Amino acid sequence: MFLAMRTAVEEALGETLAELGYPTDDLGIERPPEDVDAVLASSVAFRLADRAGAPPPAVANEIAEAFETETCAYVGRVETRGPYVNVHPGEQYFAETLAASQDTQYGRLEPRDRRVVVEHTSANPTGPVHVGRARNPVIGDALARLLEYAGYEVKRHYYVNDAGRQIATFTWAYETFDESELPEPERDSPEYDLVRYYRKGNTYLEAADPAAVETAESEIQTILQGLEEGDEAVYERVSDVVEDVLAGMRETLARLPAEFDEFVKETQFMRDGSTDDVVARLKDSEWAVYEDEAWQLAFPDIDKNLVFLRADGTSLYTTRDIAHHEWKFEHFDEAVTVLGEDHKLQAEQLRATLGLLGHDTDRLSTVHYSWVNLPEGGMSTREGTGIDLDDLLDEAIDRARGEVENRLGDRIREDDLDEDDVERIAHQVGIGAVRYDIVAQQPTKGITFEWERALDFEAQSAPYVQYVHARTCGILEQSELDGKHPETGRVDGAAAVDGTAVDSERLSSEAERDLLRTIARFPAVIDSGADELQPHVVATYTRDLADAFNVFYRECPVLGAKADTKRARLALVVAAKHTMANALDVLGVAAPESM
RNA sequence: GGGCGUGUGGCCUAGUGGACAGGGCGAGAGGUUCCUAACCUCUCGAUCGCGGGUUCGAAUCCCGCCACGCCCGCCA
């Protein structure tokens, strides 16, 4: 409703200004502050004051009076407050919001028929996922979900670096060292098992005597050359290691949960000849230079050449990534990549190169995030420093379980949680808290990892907003209009109340109106969040929604109200439940039915 | 040295041109015969890094400076 109303107001305001002889290029439409109960406002009077030769409040009045309220959808009345023109919604706005939000799919926008590939995580398959990179899958997965809600056809890709030097080193180390030389693995999972060889190999290359290192280096070079030439046998050797490590990493990521539609291997673009093809075209391009026996691109706007073919004739990561992105452009309308801030220059060079090759680079977007560091510094798989994501999640679940058990004693509600419930809640809250904490922040801000902060369940955390969802479920479960789903036995809001039959005018208190106004905004949050690729705005929204619901919860008893009021309030609770459930779904955070 | 990013009460954070900078943590005071107190109410606390500028209006835009992070590889 909010989106429709905004469109209508934009149109009507434009017409109003035109009639009065004012320019219509900047309507100054914005969202008013919290204490103003209008839904939309315009500050255009400020800018027109000079031209009108009148003070802003007078101009605002002139506009408000000329505004044709009757013909404008969803608008109830237009008033001024000082220089601002405030637009208040009419009853239809509330009625339709209430009706629309009875649908469990509330918040999903119309399909756009646009295919988007979201590439995220893409961590090198060298060992366990650590929290230094945990931002990537959390942001990436939330972004993919957000785009789906916004109506895009979304695929999630993990780009597997299976062709680089690190992987060659890994393969060599795996084939060279014996398990007896290694420490016990930290967990019973393939990536924890195999990373020991990788670390051992790197230590060896740093510390062994020069002759031994040279032998090792030549073996690593052989592997790299083999991959470059498309040698099947070498590919199989590397693949053994990569597949095992990746399988373990996938399991960890699935806990977040972050899952992928496709794992795209870098070697694919070497084997199918597309990298060679890119090299050939780049050599012919206007920015190509041959310097120091290597082919490079000298960008007009970037103060750093990109080597795309080494002196020894082999390709580089970025060269293959160019082929990779041409492949994306063939199969998708838009490509979004989530990358660490350390990849910024590379991303700029990639974009510029794609432009050089004649592609429309507006189709490519990059979301950068900054690292999660430890107080003592960065995290590294190779050096074995850092916190494993598995450990963080386990600890989060343990602490959440402790919280649930603590609260069990002084629980008012008599719904005896059994052991399975406790375990379910511990998982939903524990993992939800970690994920919410990451997704709620602007990705560009640096984070220093601290256990206490990451696992704080008070604060503005997942449990706070999850609790609201649990409360809505609790009310619905106890309502006489109880509409349990015939198969799952769960509370199904849409079955409990038919919102279209409910009179929204019964929801006339400030608390009810506020909640409804907040619910009405949800589709607009999805729209702008997707547009700007900012999932964190959805997290901010869940807090607004939780605040509004909590006020309503305090002020307006539902189950004890008289029949008609109760019916209307139940519809509002259903609306809040769907909105919160879907907002949490966008964030990839579980929506507990009890906690 | 150059490029990019970040800087908001003691701590964390929202807000990228408009209404007294919104929350949370913390500290203090209250609230449960009533739908879950992982909740709510009130109080305390901010020269929005510093200095200039543009504008009717700046946390937000521009310039300079400071601090921190990242990058500047024929690694990925």
Side-chain angles (χ1 to χ4, degrees), chain A residues 119-376:
Chain A
E119 180 200 327
H120 69 86
T121 308
S122 302
N124 290 339
T126 50
V129 182
H130 59 67
V131 308
R133 310 196 171 196
R135 263 182 146 171
N136 202 319
V138 170
I139 294 168
D141 190 64
L143 209 43
R145 289 162 178 268
L146 177 56
L147 291 168
E148 276 177 344
Y149 267 81
Y152 293 95
E153 267 177 54
V154 178
K155 293 289 179 200
R156 299 147 166 87
H157 284 192
Y158 185 121
Y159 186 50
V160 184
N161 301 324
D162 64 341
R165 201 196 131 76
Q166 294 166 12
I167 295 304
T169 304
F170 202 163
T171 304
W172 158 79
Y174 181 61
E175 293 170 350
T176 302
F177 298 102
D178 189 81
E179 176 142 29
S180 61
E181 305 171 69
L182 305 171
E184 283 295 303
E186 288 165 34
R187 271 174 195 257
D188 181 22
S189 188
E191 79 277 32
Y192 290 87
D193 176 21
L194 290 171
V195 74
R196 298 177 299 157
Y197 294 92
Y198 182 59
R199 287 177 186 152
K200 174 78 180 173
N202 278 293
T203 312
Y204 181 87
L205 291 176
E206 282 165 24
D209 67 85
V213 169
E214 201 177 313
T215 310
E217 287 290 354
S218 97
E219 178 60 23
I220 292 167
Q221 272 308 314
T222 307
I223 295 171
L224 277 175
Q225 287 288 347
L227 286 174
E228 191 74 24
E229 289 157 11
D231 183 328
E232 281 301 319
V234 172
Y235 179 76
E236 289 299 324
R237 285 161 64 195
V238 170
S239 201
D240 281 346
V241 176
V242 168
E243 290 295 340
D244 274 4
V245 174
L246 209 50
M249 294 171 79
R250 279 171 80 163
E251 270 186 48
T252 302
L253 292 168
R255 300 178 68 188
L256 280 174
E259 289 178 297
F260 298 87
D261 297 296
E262 199 169 338
F263 286 78
V264 181
K265 288 184 173 175
E266 200 175 336
T267 45
Q268 173 184 333
F269 305 101
M270 301 168 83
R271 285 146 65 91
D272 70 4
S274 59
T275 300
D276 292 340
D277 181 57
V278 164
V279 167
R281 277 179 291 143
L282 288 178
K283 277 183 181 172
D284 285 339
S285 75
E286 54 177 320
W287 300 342
V289 293
Y290 186 72
E291 276 175 22
D292 303 323
E293 299 179 341
W295 280 94
Q296 322 191 3
L297 289 180
F299 299 100
D301 300 324
I302 301 174
D303 191 26
K304 182 71 201 167
N305 279 10
L306 170 69
V307 173
F308 63 89
L309 194 65
R310 290 191 186 99
D312 66 6
T314 58
S315 63
L316 291 91
Y317 170 84
T318 308
T319 323
R320 292 169 226 134
D321 205 24
I322 293 161
H324 173 213
H325 277 82
E326 289 198 313
W327 174 82
K328 283 187 186 177
F329 280 173
E330 262 175 55
H331 295 89
F332 298 93
D333 298 308
E334 290 174 51
V336 178
T337 317
V338 182
L339 288 173
E341 61 178 344
D342 54 330
H343 282 65
K344 264 188 185 172
L345 175 61
Q346 184 257 321
E348 261 178 71
Q349 291 179 326
L350 172 67
R351 174 182 297 277
T353 308
L354 288 167
L356 175 69
L357 291 173
H359 297 284
D360 173 11
T361 53
D362 288 344
R363 293 166 64 195
L364 176 65
S365 309
T366 313
V367 175
H368 291 281
Y369 63 93
S370 69
W371 296 109
V372 179
N373 287 320
L374 294 168
E376 60 270 24

Side-chain angles (χ1 to χ4, degrees), chain A residues 17 57-58 148 152 220 317 384 407 444 494 504 516 582:
Chain A
L17 293 181
E148 276 177 344
Y152 293 95
I220 292 167
Y317 170 84
R407 291 164 203 274
T444 46
S504 65
L516 214 36
N582 290 345

Side-chain angles (χ1 to χ4, degrees), chain A residues 16 70 106 140 146 203 207 217 233 246-247 298 333-334 339 394 413 432 460 468 480 562 568 590:
Chain A
T16 306
E70 305 72 32
Y106 181 63
L146 177 56
T203 312
E217 287 290 354
L246 209 50
D333 298 308
E334 290 174 51
L339 288 173
D394 284 351
R413 198 176 160 83
Q460 295 174 315
V468 166
E480 288 164 25
K562 286 183 186 166

